[in-house]
Amino acid sequence: MHAHPRAARRLTGALSVLLSVLLAACAADPPTTVTASTPPDPAPAGADAAWDELAALAAAARDRHFTARYTHVGADGSARDVTVVSAEDGSWRIDVPGGALGGTADVSLAATSDGLFQCGLPSAGRPEAATCVRLGARDDAVPDRLDPRVQHPFTDWLAVLTDRRTPLVISPASPPDGVVGRCFTVDTTSASLNPPLDVGVYCFEADGTPTHVRAALGTLTLASPVGPAPATVALAGPVVDAEPLDRDAPADAASPGGGTS
């Protein structure tokens, strides 16, 4: 009659001991953590070094103040001399022969404390005296229809090359014949749907002087020793209330049958 209660008590005691052991084992186990997925392989060390070097040179170029002449060879093979002035106060001016009206008019682009300007220079396609038109604030972009593009490697593209967050792939490149400095191939990644600059080859001297660019705009090559920078740039002429000169030739001038009957 009393055996069953004793057996039940023994079973209950055994279960209590077993439960205590299991609880102690669970408490001893370290908490379960969720591990992150394995990160992708890092970029090759050489690519990072190239990015670092190019970014440093582009930063030096942004602080570089000088006057120089560059030879621009367009995609169509036409050649012209482009004058670049980067002044001590951060203003800049770039004179572009054939930069407007389908190559028949010379223009100057300039950014000063008063804004961004396009100046028409005396040329075969525009024989009158130089005058300038304000395009906007100093840091505004040149409208595409007016943009000769050769100013970008000396202005806004330098900021792009210093920003390591930009989706670019950088690798060292051999300098073309006659070009001094360090050169880099700049390409975009698949994540960049609208590249912030032209892909191509960019070359700089150690002090930040741009010496060569090969991109969609053609090639720009330093053609003379750099000279001193002025304190500020001067516009080519007075500012007037007029329409700026388009990059392309007018439609009526491009068509032999243009005009009214």
Side-chain angles (χ1 to χ4, degrees), residues 1-131:
M1 293 292 293
H2 300 288
H4 293 294
R6 285 198 299 270
R9 285 196 294 272
R10 285 197 298 271
L11 179 59
T12 301
L15 290 175
S16 299
V17 172
L18 178 60
L19 181 60
S20 299
V21 171
L22 290 174
L23 290 174
C26 290
D29 288 339
T32 302
T33 58
V34 178
T35 58
S37 58
T38 303
D41 291 336
D48 281 343
W51 231 133
D52 290 341
E53 186 177 4
L54 176 57
L57 289 171
R62 297 182 72 184
D63 295 331
R64 184 83 167 94
H65 305 299
F66 64 95
T67 300
R69 179 172 55 86
Y70 288 79
T71 299
H72 173 232
V73 179
D76 60 356
S78 61
R80 69 199 73 183
D81 284 340
V82 172
T83 301
V84 176
V85 180
S86 174
E88 295 289 349
D89 66 350
S91 59
W92 56 265
R93 171 178 163 176
I94 299 178
D95 293 353
V96 189
L101 301 182
T104 64
D106 302 345
V107 293
S108 173
L109 289 176
T112 72
S113 58
D114 294 325
L116 176 68
F117 299 87
Q118 183 212 62
C119 302
L121 306 177
S123 55
R126 186 187 179 278
E128 56 264 38
T131 55

Side-chain angles (χ1 to χ4, degrees), residues 161-189:
L161 294 175
T162 63
D163 188 354
R164 290 296 304 268
R165 296 169 299 177
T166 309
L168 299 176
V169 178
I170 311 298
S171 57
S174 299
D177 291 342
V179 172
V180 298
R182 295 278 292 142
C183 296
F184 304 85
T185 298
V186 177
D187 205 348
T188 56
T189 67

Side-chain angles (χ1 to χ4, degrees), residues 148-250:
R149 298 186 60 77
V150 297
Q151 80 280 2
H152 292 295
F154 308 98
T155 57
D156 55 309
W157 288 355
L158 293 176
V160 175
L161 294 175
T162 63
D163 188 354
R164 290 296 304 268
R165 296 169 299 177
T166 309
L168 299 176
V169 178
I170 311 298
S171 57
S174 299
D177 291 342
V179 172
V180 298
R182 295 278 292 142
C183 296
F184 304 85
T185 298
V186 177
D187 205 348
T188 56
T189 67
S190 57
S192 179
L193 300 178
N194 296 302
L197 82 174
D198 281 357
V199 301
V201 174
Y202 293 77
C203 303
F204 299 87
E205 288 193 274
D207 61 3
T209 302
T211 59
H212 180 78
V213 175
R214 187 181 76 236
L217 57 83
T219 62
L220 277 163
T221 306
L222 183 64
S224 68
V226 297
T232 190
V233 299
L235 297 180
V239 179
V240 298
D241 184 11
E243 285 296 315
L245 302 177
D246 283 359
R247 179 185 59 204
D248 299 328

